[in-house]
């Protein structure tokens, strides 16, 4: 957890769903290990690609969930704080979405 300059703890927007995100990420981690074993075992290319696609979709789902929670909590809170804070958070979201779309 990070702190703001005023030394107030910053609570991430996903704090209420943290455990669910961690469970999902652990499953994805397991899927990636399976893909590595598939490559080590010379599994048919299309089968490996199918698993890579599944992991990619799972990571995208995590990303969208985190983005939704960020907007619902962090951006909304910033908008309540000031126009400047809201603009900063909106710019942050746009940059994050740009990175997600490019990946």
């Amino acid at each position: 957890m990070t702190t703001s300059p005023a030394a107030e703890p910053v609570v991430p927007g996903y704090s209420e769903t943290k455990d669910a995100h961690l469970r999902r990420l652990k499953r994805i981690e397991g899927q990636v290990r399976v893909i590595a074993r598939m490559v080590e075992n010379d599994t048919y290319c299309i089968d490996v690609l199918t698993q890579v696609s599944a992991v990619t979709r799972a990571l995208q789902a995590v990303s969208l969930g985190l983005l939704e929670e960020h907007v619902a909590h962090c951006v909304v809170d910033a908008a309540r704080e000031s126009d400047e804070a809201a603009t900063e958070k909106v710019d942050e979201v746009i940059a994050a979405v740009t990175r997600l779309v490019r990946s």
Side-chain angles (χ1 to χ4, degrees), residues 36-44:
R37 277 195 302 270
M38 291 173 77
V39 171
E40 287 173 355
N41 296 331
D42 298 320
T43 302
Y44 184 60

Side-chain angles (χ1 to χ4, degrees), residues 14-32:
Y14 61 82
S15 63
E16 292 181 16
T17 56
K18 180 179 179 177
D19 290 340
H21 287 302
L22 288 172
R23 281 191 303 275
R24 187 171 222 172
L25 289 167
K26 292 288 185 188
R27 280 195 306 270
I28 293 168
E29 182 180 24
Q31 288 176 290
V32 171

Side-chain angles (χ1 to χ4, degrees), residues 80-100:
R80 289 182 182 132
E81 182 182 320
S82 70
D83 289 344
E84 295 79 22
T87 299
E88 182 180 318
K89 290 296 180 187
V90 168
D91 290 345
E92 199 176 69
V93 168
I94 290 169
V97 169
T98 300
R99 287 190 301 274
L100 287 172

Side-chain angles (χ1 to χ4, degrees), residues 40-69:
E40 287 173 355
N41 296 331
D42 298 320
T43 302
Y44 184 60
C45 302
I46 298 302
D47 294 338
V48 175
L49 290 170
T50 299
Q51 293 307 309
V52 169
S53 177
V55 168
T56 300
R57 285 191 312 272
L59 282 171
Q60 288 170 340
V62 170
S63 297
L64 289 174
L66 290 169
L67 181 63
E68 180 180 333
E69 290 166 333

Side-chain angles (χ1 to χ4, degrees), residues 1-15 70 74 77 89:
M1 187 180 304
T2 61
T3 58
S4 66
E8 291 182 29
V10 176
V11 178
Y14 61 82
S15 63
H70 179 69
C74 303
D77 287 348
K89 290 296 180 187

